[in-house]
Amino acid sequence: MENPSLSFYGLGIAPKILEILANLKFQIPTPIQHKAIPLAIEGKDIIGIAQTGTGKTMAFAIPMIQHLAQTKSRGLIIVPTRELAVQVQESMSKIVQGFGIRSVVLIGGESMHTQIQALKRSPRIIIATPGRLLDFLRQKQLHLKDIDVLVLDEADRMLDMGFAPDIEQIIKMVPAQRQTLFFSATMPPEIMKMASRYMKLPVNVEIAPHGTSAEHVTHEVFIVHKDMKRTLLGKLLKQFRGSILLFCRTKMGARKIARQLRDWGHNSAEIHSDRSLAQRRQALEGFKTGRFRILVATDIASRGIDVKGIELVINYDLPDQAENYVHRIGRTGRAGLAGHAISIVTPEQRNDIGNIERLIKIVLPISQHPEIPQMEFEKPQRVFSAQSFRSRGGRRPFGRRRR
Ligand code: ADP
Ligand code: MG
């Protein structure tokens, strides 16, 4: 099943680069790539925070190369160590193939002479450690006047290593008309300080580190017409054999769905405020022992449900509050076991999904059922400008993200 949200398509990447990515067998963008690439291609300044090993290099390399392919400008990538400089160059060389864009690595411990020779071939990507780069600048072997994309990779590490004064000196030599991208595993306050000084309304793109509640949970969203929700549910229930916790928004809804499940022949029980305490306890007990495979619940009634080993949480309705999504999925994937959460949503619920994604810092992948017509989210009514995003407290609405 081709799932567009799980591929590099739709992020604004040029066809030629998509082809290269396919050849490299890069099929699914990592979360930081999924979030940062479209924004970087739009030309936004970005602070990208994600753990080591999550693909941050491509998150800036792809947009930078795409930009350089369209202009005559140059890009500068500042990294803390020589090893990393070489590694970044290797990664980028895979993508620049066929674009005729040369890169140079300026690092200490190597002869300056060789690097000067390389600079004479007018490389358009400069990857450098701060100290050696400053040497070149001071000796006027290099200027930064035509740099219009600036990347600070592993920004936190550079600050730890005491490079802040060097970096500030370098940044001041890069034209103000530029795109600035900071990538880092953590977000110390000094990075924010530097960002506020040297970036234009940066967008924060932060991917939740491991150890959050959602660690062992995979997510899926189906967008369908309201009238198809039940049909889809019926098909999903046939696919999953394990225990299922199914959430409805109202007790009315829970009652109706529970009746439907029984009609379909599923062993199921329900807990909501119309049930007595004894009935609820019975339902829960039966769910735990396996007598009922499916438990239908409302948010209020489900508080404190502590059942281990639930394979699947189905959000037949999204919760009224994004926070409740976290509580709901907390019931699956417990104690290191893998869990799965499926949300069935209608086209007008884009904002609700956006709120949840912002809260859990995960992009919820959209799936398609082969037998159910897929819908798309309705276009947002209003597009927020970067300015209004700022005045709303620094959190960027998700409305503009491409799907
Ligand atoms: P980070 O900078 O976040 O520590 P890297 O950019 O060094 O992570 O990437 C880590 C590894 O993941 C690299 O070997 C890279 O080739 C690989 N990688 C990056 N993006 C993808 C992707 N979308 N699919 C598969 N592998 C990827
Ligand atoms: Mg990196």
Side-chain angles (χ1 to χ4, degrees), residues 34-149:
H34 191 271
K35 284 195 174 180
I37 289 173
L39 294 164
I41 287 176
E42 280 176 24
K44 300 247 162 38
D45 282 3
I46 292 175
I47 303 171
I49 309 288
Q51 274 192 305
T52 305
T54 54
K56 293 191 288 294
T57 314
M58 287 303 167
F60 62 77
I62 292 169
M64 179 186 276
I65 291 164
Q66 183 155 325
H67 174 77
L68 295 181
Q70 295 162 15
T71 60
K72 290 195 183 336
S73 60
R74 290 194 298 163
L76 172 62
I77 301 163
I78 308 177
V79 297
T81 65
R82 301 165 195 178
E83 294 74 29
L84 186 60
V86 173
Q87 205 181 304
V88 167
Q89 188 187 36
E90 274 170 14
S91 300
M92 294 189 84
S93 69
K94 294 177 189 159
I95 307 287
V96 287
Q97 275 168 26
F99 282 99
I101 295 174
R102 261 191 288 274
S103 63
V104 68
V105 167
L106 306 178
I107 48 179
E110 260 191 22
S111 109
M112 267 184 108
H113 179 73
T114 318
Q115 293 172 4
I116 289 169
Q117 294 307 315
L119 277 174
K120 284 186 180 146
R121 290 195 290 273
S122 13
R124 295 182 54 210
I125 299 170
I126 298 168
I127 305 161
T129 48
R132 179 56 67 98
L133 181 61
L134 272 178
D135 289 345
F136 274 101
L137 292 166
R138 288 198 191 109
Q139 294 181 18
K140 307 236 182 293
Q141 304 275 7
L142 175 70
H143 70 78
L144 302 177
K145 291 191 187 100
D146 45 10
I147 299 285
D148 71 355
V149 186

